[in-house]
Amino acid sequence: TDPRLPVTGKVAPGAISYQGPITITENSMLEARLFNNGSWSALAEASFSVLQKDTRLRVTEIMYNPVGGDDYEFIELRNLGRDSLNVANLSFVEGIRYTFPPDTPPLAPGEFLVLVRNPELFAERYPEVTISGGYDGSLSNKGESLTLIDAQGEIVVDLIYNDAGGWPISPDGRGDSLVLVDEDGNPSEPTSWRASANVFGSPGAVD
């Protein structure tokens, strides 16, 4: 919180005096001021997110060329690890554009996130699915890179999907989605994916 009390300008009771590097163990907003000879500097704010480096966060389903048009696109992510993952402030910067808000709760083990192009139309087709967010841009029907980075610019998820070269054919406009089958394999290899068992895929659930 603001280390300066309003009105009086005194040091707030909860303020922490800087004595050395501060260890941050959870997603945090840091507010700081310099106090020198009785005067305060302007307030500086910075948001920090914590993400385990060797995460088991995966893109597990991609609907890139859905029946009915691009408005029914979606991307599914899942925490395949044993611990909750902080996903706040993670951003897709290639393929689509989306940043998880700072107040996004940790993703529990086994839990899904579903990002969609058009939340309104998606909800009509998949009324039982919880939408985690609506992204900007659209997925290429010919394949492209999908890159998810953390707040420091480190790559968290990076893959290239395609519609040729051994990749499943039916997800390219026939109603199926791409589903990850090799959780620890190279996500840019066609052998790591298959067509969904269900028409329209299974966003937010195991296919």
Side-chain angles (χ1 to χ4, degrees):
T1 59
D2 193 332
R4 182 186 68 176
L5 285 175
V7 183
T8 66
K10 294 182 178 180
V11 177
I16 301 172
S17 177
Y18 180 77
Q19 302 295 331
I22 298 171
T23 300
I24 296 175
T25 59
E26 61 183 0
N27 293 347
S28 305
M29 171 66 77
L30 181 67
E31 298 186 355
R33 294 179 189 267
L34 292 177
F35 187 62
N36 185 32
N37 295 326
S39 297
W40 291 95
S41 71
L43 182 66
E45 296 179 312
S47 179
F48 295 88
S49 61
V50 178
L51 182 74
Q52 299 88 335
K53 284 303 178 184
D54 187 20
T55 73
R56 294 269 293 161
L57 183 65
R58 300 286 188 271
V59 170
T60 48
E61 190 169 355
I62 305 170
M63 177 68 85
Y64 67 89
N65 190 6
V67 171
D70 292 346
D71 283 329
Y72 296 99
E73 290 178 357
F74 68 82
I75 293 178
E76 174 195 272
L77 298 98
R78 189 182 186 193
N79 178 4
L80 298 174
R82 297 181 179 180
D83 301 311
S84 294
L85 296 176
N86 292 313
V87 297
N89 299 313
L90 297 187
S91 299
F92 274 101
V93 294
E94 280 195 86
I96 60 170
R97 295 177 299 280
Y98 180 80
T99 299
F100 288 95
D103 59 352
T104 303
L107 187 64
E111 190 174 347
F112 296 90
L113 293 169
V114 179
L115 302 178
V116 306
R117 170 121 191 262
N118 186 320
E120 184 177 352
L121 290 182
F122 180 90
E124 292 178 2
R125 178 172 287 182
Y126 306 94
E128 73 288 351
V129 178
T130 299
I131 298 172
S132 303
Y135 57 77
D136 294 324
S138 62
L139 298 167
S140 171
N141 294 345
K142 297 298 183 181
E144 64 183 333
S145 297
L146 293 174
T147 304
L148 181 69
I149 62 173
D150 64 18
Q152 289 71 47
E154 297 291 330
I155 293 176
V156 179
V157 176
D158 188 33
L159 66 92
I160 301 173
Y161 71 90
N162 211 321
D163 69 340
W167 285 79
I169 297 174
S170 58
D172 191 12
R174 301 185 188 179
D176 300 331
S177 62
L178 286 173
V179 175
L180 185 69
V181 291
D182 189 349
E183 299 173 354
D184 296 310
N186 182 350
S188 296
E189 291 291 334
T191 53
S192 296
W193 300 83
R194 63 165 171 81
S196 60
N198 301 312
V199 176
F200 300 145
S202 301
V206 176
D207 184 88

